[in-house]
Amino acid sequence: MRAIVFSSHDYERQFLESAADHRHNLVFCAEKLDMDTVELARGAEAVVLFTSDRASAEVLEKLHKLGVQYICLRSVGHDHVDLDKAHKLGIKIANVPEYSPYAIAEHAVALLLALNRKIVTGQKLMDIGDFRLERLIGFDLHGKTVGIIGTGKIGSAFAHIMSGFGCRLLGFDPFPAANLVAKGLQYVSISQLFKQSDIISLHCPLNKETTYLLDTEAFSMMKKGVTLLNTSRGKVIESEALIRALDEGKVALAGLDVYEKEDTFFFKSLNGKRNTDLVFERLRSYPNVLITGHQAFLTIEALEGIARITNSNLDAFCENRPCMNEL
Ligand code: NAD
């Protein structure tokens, strides 16, 4: 099957080619899919998309006219695709529902430890030969209350790690996981989670209910000095409300791997140009905010998993078999 891999990066190409093993004709293009680039799909039966691609209703209509029948997502999240429109057009879509939940959960922990133990500040002081400790005081994770919003695959992996630190675990999820309750996690209402948690970590999908779940009202319920981690989707947090919460000292530390308007500049170089997103620049300016550019998934194991499952989704579509990851 001929498939155009949009938003493709050098780091993933060898994994995708090796998993395809010449079964599919993968054509790599660095451009992200949108109305300006959709024409690149001409002649392909499938497109392979990343979270930076935008499969809006308009783009899907054009893909359909070009003869594209299948969309394979190289991601868990599918908030960048208009699923209803794709279904109406008869375009089949599959995602990678699980590759390595550990990759993302471990990155959330990396952000937490780096923030709490002032690793970045410590490194900067070390670089200038300043060996004073005054600005480097952290806190023990042991005994702290950790609120996990979304206790699916990634939230569960995060819960297991934090349990190892000796934390008290709270969870909020419309579908509680019995195995986590057996491990000691207590499900509570979202407001109780906000009120009781020292650390809050987001692991829910972006949907109607979770868009701006963390807004001014939510921040007002939180403990003063809370640590916030977001490795889910940027739009779960209202960035301007977070800025106010940081200014008020409500949020003491924030570790963010995602940002609500990341698709305009993540995954590429600004080549020395200024970033015109002033909200992002403001967030970036806080010494107590650590931002990574949507890299939580980026481990060898995850890249292998994404490549393998993406190709097996293409196999199923190509051979007209039921695809277990069809959305
Ligand atoms: P999952 O489907 O296994 O788990 C998501 C959980 O969220 C489910 O248990 C679901 O019931 C719960 N949920 C749904 N609506 C909710 C709500 N309103 N409030 C609280 N919980 C709610 O998915 P997963 O594999 O754990 O991935 C979670 C999210 O992580 C993805 O949707 C994606 O947005 C994000 N993600 C980010 C990266 C990254 O690199 N930063 C990589 C992969 C996934």
Side-chain angles (χ1 to χ4, degrees):
M1 164 133 47
R2 180 175 164 85
I4 310 294
V5 185
F6 278 94
S7 296
S8 69
H9 303 274
D10 288 346
Y11 66 74
E12 59 182 343
R13 189 176 170 145
Q14 71 184 85
F15 292 99
L16 285 161
E17 276 180 335
S18 157
D21 198 18
H22 307 291
R23 296 192 308 285
H24 305 293
N25 176 10
L26 300 183
V27 180
F28 294 89
C29 73
E31 284 81 1
K32 72 174 189 179
L33 173 68
D34 57 24
M35 271 315 276
D36 294 334
T37 61
V38 63
E39 190 64 37
L40 291 167
R42 187 176 288 280
E45 288 155 85
V47 292
V48 178
L49 305 185
F50 191 50
T51 52
S52 43
D53 295 309
R54 288 284 156 264
S56 62
E58 198 185 12
V59 168
L60 289 167
E61 263 175 24
K62 180 74 182 169
L63 285 174
H64 183 61
K65 279 193 192 130
L66 291 172
V68 170
Q69 300 167 53
Y70 311 109
I71 297 179
C72 288
L73 306 179
R74 315 195 299 284
S75 61
V76 178
H78 46 75
D79 46 273
H80 50 305
V81 179
D82 187 331
L83 285 185
D84 289 344
K85 184 70 186 181
H87 291 152
K88 275 187 202 134
L89 292 167
I91 297 177
K92 292 190 171 191
I93 305 182
N95 71 340
V96 179
E98 177 171 354
Y99 41 91
S100 167
Y102 313 107
I104 298 99
E106 289 171 13
H107 190 80
V109 179
L111 288 173
L112 172 60
L113 287 171
L115 278 165
N116 169 29
R117 303 313 299 267
K118 316 282 186 272
I119 302 297
V120 176
T121 311
Q123 180 68 56
K124 283 183 182 160
L125 290 174
M126 182 73 58
D127 287 346
I128 57 165
D130 184 341
F131 299 99
R132 292 173 297 175
L133 297 180
E134 276 70 16
R135 292 163 58 190
L136 304 180
I137 302 173
F139 57 82
D140 285 4
L141 292 176
H142 184 91
K144 294 293 182 296
T145 298
V146 178
I148 305 171
I149 299 180
T151 57
K153 292 176 281 295
I154 299 170
S156 292
F158 182 76
H160 286 292
I161 300 172
M162 297 318 291
S163 157
F165 277 107
C167 294
R168 172 181 172 236
L169 302 180
L170 300 180
F172 174 74
D173 193 306
F175 300 97
N179 65 322
L180 291 180
V181 175
K183 272 279 234 177
L185 179 141
Q186 188 192 348
Y187 281 99
V188 291
S189 65
I190 190 85
S191 56
Q192 278 306 315
L193 185 144
F194 290 151
K195 284 178 189 157
Q196 294 185 39
S197 301
D198 301 301
I199 296 156
I200 295 175
S201 197
L202 300 174
H203 299 290
C204 53
L206 179 67
N207 55 33
K208 258 192 250 146
E209 287 77 43
T210 61
T211 298
Y212 286 173
L213 183 68
L214 299 201
D215 57 7
T216 304
E217 194 190 345
F219 285 118
S220 73
M221 281 187 257
M222 293 178 195
K223 275 189 181 181
K224 193 167 170 68
V226 67
T227 294
L228 177 64
L229 303 170
N230 188 10
T231 55
S232 63
R233 283 289 181 269
K235 252 201 169 146
V236 180
I237 298 180
E238 188 186 351
S239 301
E240 303 217 18
L242 171 59
I243 287 172
R244 287 191 293 275
L246 285 159
D247 287 341
E248 289 160 9
K250 192 74 164 181
V251 173
L253 300 170
L256 313 172
D257 184 53
V258 284
Y259 169 64
E260 59 173 303
K261 292 184 183 148
E262 67 180 46
D263 56 315
T264 53
F265 52 93
F266 272 19
F267 308 116
K268 60 187 178 199
S269 168
L270 291 177
N271 285 324
K273 289 198 203 103
R274 284 168 69 100
N275 189 349
T276 52
D277 187 324
L278 298 182
V279 173
F280 182 78
E281 286 305 294
R282 178 81 191 274
L283 279 174
R284 213 168 62 81
S285 71
Y286 290 92
N288 49 339
V289 175
L290 185 53
I291 309 181
T292 50
H294 205 138
Q295 71 177 70
F297 70 99
L298 204 61
T299 66
I300 291 167
E301 292 79 0
L303 290 170
E304 277 168 357
I306 292 169
R308 181 174 37 79
I309 298 165
T310 299
N311 274 286
S312 75
N313 289 341
L314 285 171
D315 290 342
F317 286 146
C318 188
E319 292 158 19
N320 215 9
R321 285 187 281 111
C323 175
M324 62 192 285
N325 301 320
E326 192 171 335
L327 295 167

